[in-house]
């Protein structure tokens, strides 16, 4: 099947849909059994798409899990109440006291906090590495290194990693490779074809697509699925059937949303690139973005999220830029149908291996489904306020 057909068709097995278009919302804690044999059969199939206990999932959950797993190219998908929970659930499923973790330096800030606070307290050591390290990762692998964690593109600054090279070297040393694949969603990168073992998504973003559900997913290959599934269950990770239903409904429009948001974002990014105030664009599809060549090789497309850096400016000018927007809303997260803007401060303070020049103002944009002419007019007005704040 072609991608668009898969998005519409996957996760719609009749045993889950009961013959209707969308799987019903099956809310359950207790599942009752008619006989000891029935209970034993259910116990044997728990975690494998069979009703057993509410935390193991219902037909609503199974439909979403099957759809995400097949879209990403994995064997099974675990569901979590947030993207951060998916990250912690995946890491804790494969790390124990005394282990060593290799973590990309451009990682999502809460993931860094998890490593520096919770994992460190459990006796798990973390070494951060340059996202552009490539084959140099071999020099950082220790005898007790168990997991190599990637995030590509990187959070905020958008560095695209050489995923196949990193995976090849890590596998030579027996490491488990995890990738935060949220930026790509399940459709713009095939992580398992690149060598990844576990692909993590903040489903809150593009899978849900409407800014109204918190959810995370972790999809594993055959070798690692059982351990991920069972340890995530032991950690108590689960989501409500209502949220699973909304995520599955959002998934059905993922392809058309991503295509339009990619188009809109590229229009805005090219307009920004032409502005005299802009130093460079941090968008994987632009040559100015580190790892652009890997994006062209490994990705099927982009999305609505990118950053841009100005040549100069101070905090007051940044404040003037973001305050007073008509269409861009100021807020965290992304992936919904609305456009968002965030002024990024102190990137240098959340990097320990790579350097970042925080003297140049940077903004992160998420481009939604609004008309690009309206968005450009909004940004034009922001630049006018920016110049007024600078006294220029």
């Amino acid at each position: 099947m072609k991608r668009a057909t898969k998005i519409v068709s996957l996760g719609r097995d009749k045993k889950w849909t009961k013959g209707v278009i969308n799987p019903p919302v099956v809310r359950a804690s207790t599942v009752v059994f008619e006989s000891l044999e029935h209970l034993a059969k259910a116990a044997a199939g728990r975690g494998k798409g069979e009703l057993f206990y509410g935390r193991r999932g219902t037909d609503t959950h199974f439909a979403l899990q099957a759809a995400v797993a097949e879209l990403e190219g994995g064997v099974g998908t675990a569901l979590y109440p947030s993207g951060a929970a998916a990250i912690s659930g995946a890491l804790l499923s494969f790390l124990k006291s005394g282990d060593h973790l290799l973590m990309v330096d451009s990682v999502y800030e809460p993931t860094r906090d998890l490593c520096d606070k919770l994992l460190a307290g459990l006796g798990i050591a973390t070494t951060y590495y340059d996202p552009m390290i490539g084959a140099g990762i071999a020099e950082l692998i220790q005898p007790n290194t168990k997991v190599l964690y990637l995030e590509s593109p990187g959070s905020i600054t958008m560095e695209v990693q050489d995923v196949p090279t990193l995976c090849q070297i890590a596998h030579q040393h027996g490491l488990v490779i995890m990738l935060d694949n949220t930026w790509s969603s399940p459709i713009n990168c095939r992580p398992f074809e690149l060598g990844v073992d576990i692909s993590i998504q903040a489903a809150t973003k593009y899978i849900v697509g409407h800014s109204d559900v918190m959810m995370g997913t972790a999809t594993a290959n055959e070798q690692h699925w059982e351990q991920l599934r069972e340890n995530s269950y032991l950690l108590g990770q689960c989501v409500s059937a209502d949220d699973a239903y909304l995520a599955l409904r959002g998934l059905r429009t993922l392809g058309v949303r991503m295509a339009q948001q990619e188009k809109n974002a590229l229009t805005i990014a090219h307009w920004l690139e032409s502005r005299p105030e802009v130093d460079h664009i941090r968008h994987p599809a632009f040559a100015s973005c580190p790892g652009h060549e890997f994006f062209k090789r490994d990705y099927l497309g982009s999305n609505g999220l990118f950053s841009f850096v100005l040549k100069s400016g101070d905090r007051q000018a940044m404040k003037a830029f973001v305050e007073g927007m008509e269409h861009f809303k100021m807020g965290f997260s992304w992936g919904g149908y609305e456009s968002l803007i965030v002024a990024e401060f102190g990137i240098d303070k959340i990097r320990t291996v790579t350097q970042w020049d925080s003297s140049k103002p940077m903004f992160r944009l998420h481009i939604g489904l609004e008309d690009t002419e309206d968005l450009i007019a909004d940004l034009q007005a922001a630049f006018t306020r920016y110049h007024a704040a600078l006294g220029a």
Side-chain angles (χ1 to χ4, degrees):
M1 287 187 289
K2 298 294 185 181
R3 184 174 70 173
T5 308
K6 281 186 176 182
I7 292 171
V8 172
S9 303
L10 296 180
R12 289 175 59 187
D13 191 299
K14 288 183 180 179
K15 67 182 179 182
W16 299 321
T17 65
K18 313 303 181 189
V20 300
I21 295 296
N22 293 310
V25 179
V26 181
R27 305 179 187 91
S29 56
T30 299
V31 176
V32 295
F33 306 97
E34 297 176 356
S35 66
L36 186 60
E37 289 74 16
H38 184 200
L39 187 152
K41 181 182 178 182
R46 60 188 176 187
K48 301 176 183 177
E50 298 291 337
L51 288 174
F52 178 73
Y53 179 62
R55 185 151 55 92
R56 285 284 188 182
T58 67
D59 292 349
T60 318
H61 302 91
F62 302 152
L64 175 61
Q65 290 171 295
V68 173
E70 189 159 348
L71 279 175
E72 286 211 279
V75 169
T77 294
L79 303 178
Y80 306 82
S82 68
I87 293 166
S88 62
L91 287 170
L92 289 171
S93 291
F94 291 89
L95 291 169
K96 64 182 185 306
S97 181
D99 286 346
H100 175 244
L101 163 68
L102 284 171
M103 175 62 66
V104 63
D105 200 37
S106 54
V107 74
Y108 176 53
E109 188 176 359
T111 306
R112 180 180 287 270
D113 287 341
L114 171 73
C115 295
D116 295 345
K117 298 173 183 177
L118 193 149
L119 296 187
L122 295 175
I124 299 166
T126 299
T127 296
Y128 293 96
Y129 66 91
D130 186 331
M132 309 313 297
I133 196 170
I137 195 69
E139 299 176 10
L140 301 180
I141 297 174
Q142 302 175 15
N144 61 333
T145 305
K146 301 300 181 183
V147 172
L148 171 65
Y149 192 98
L150 320 174
E151 182 174 323
S152 184
S155 184
I156 304 173
T157 50
M158 301 291 161
E159 297 92 340
V160 183
Q161 297 187 256
D162 185 356
V163 176
T165 295
L166 291 164
C167 289
Q168 180 183 18
I169 293 170
H171 279 148
Q172 290 172 357
H173 294 266
L175 308 190
V176 179
I177 299 123
M178 301 181 185
L179 167 68
D180 186 328
N181 195 39
T182 304
W183 188 88
S184 301
S185 85
I187 63 173
N188 278 339
C189 177
R190 299 283 290 175
F192 299 98
E193 294 177 7
L194 302 179
V196 171
D197 296 311
I198 297 171
S199 177
I200 298 166
Q201 302 266 345
T204 306
K205 310 299 196 285
Y206 280 117
I207 292 177
V208 170
H210 292 78
S211 302
D212 54 4
V213 171
M214 301 290 292
M215 188 179 295
T217 67
T219 302
N221 58 17
E222 185 172 6
Q223 180 181 353
H224 298 90
W225 168 232
E226 184 174 353
Q227 184 169 339
L228 175 70
R229 181 190 69 208
E230 291 308 304
N231 285 352
S232 293
Y233 179 77
L234 292 175
L235 288 167
Q237 300 288 6
C238 61
V239 305
S240 76
D242 298 84
D243 285 351
Y245 174 86
L246 288 172
L248 192 57
R249 188 172 68 171
L251 186 70
R252 300 306 181 196
T253 61
L254 174 63
V256 291
R257 285 188 286 107
M258 287 284 279
Q260 188 61 50
Q261 288 177 275
E262 175 184 36
K263 180 181 177 182
N264 288 357
L266 288 171
T267 298
I268 300 297
H270 283 297
W271 180 83
L272 285 166
E273 188 181 37
S274 71
R275 295 286 307 193
E277 303 92 342
V278 173
D279 184 81
H280 68 281
I281 305 295
R282 309 288 289 199
H283 187 307
F286 281 62
S288 56
C289 189
H292 169 65
E293 66 274 22
F294 305 134
F295 170 78
K296 290 195 298 181
R297 182 191 66 194
D298 299 335
Y299 290 75
L300 301 175
S302 59
N303 64 13
L305 188 75
F306 68 95
S307 300
F308 66 97
V309 179
L310 300 183
K311 293 176 181 176
S312 63
D314 55 24
R315 195 179 185 94
Q316 192 62 31
M318 294 178 76
K319 173 181 167 68
F321 194 102
V322 298
E323 293 183 0
M325 289 287 194
E326 181 179 0
H327 302 296
F328 284 93
K329 309 305 178 186
M330 194 168 12
F332 295 105
S333 197
W334 42 273
Y337 54 81
E338 73 287 354
S339 290
L340 299 171
I341 185 168
V342 177
E344 297 293 352
F345 300 103
I347 299 297
D348 56 315
K349 295 181 176 60
I350 55 171
R351 298 292 173 90
T352 54
V353 178
T354 55
Q355 294 184 337
W356 180 262
D357 181 6
S358 288
S359 68
K360 295 181 178 180
M362 181 167 65
F363 300 89
R364 189 184 72 178
L365 299 181
H366 176 257
I367 307 301
L369 296 174
E370 302 92 343
D371 191 287
T372 53
E373 290 186 8
D374 291 329
L375 297 178
I376 287 172
D378 215 9
L379 289 167
Q380 178 71 63
F383 276 115
T384 300
R385 297 191 301 271
Y386 164 82
H387 284 296
L390 289 175

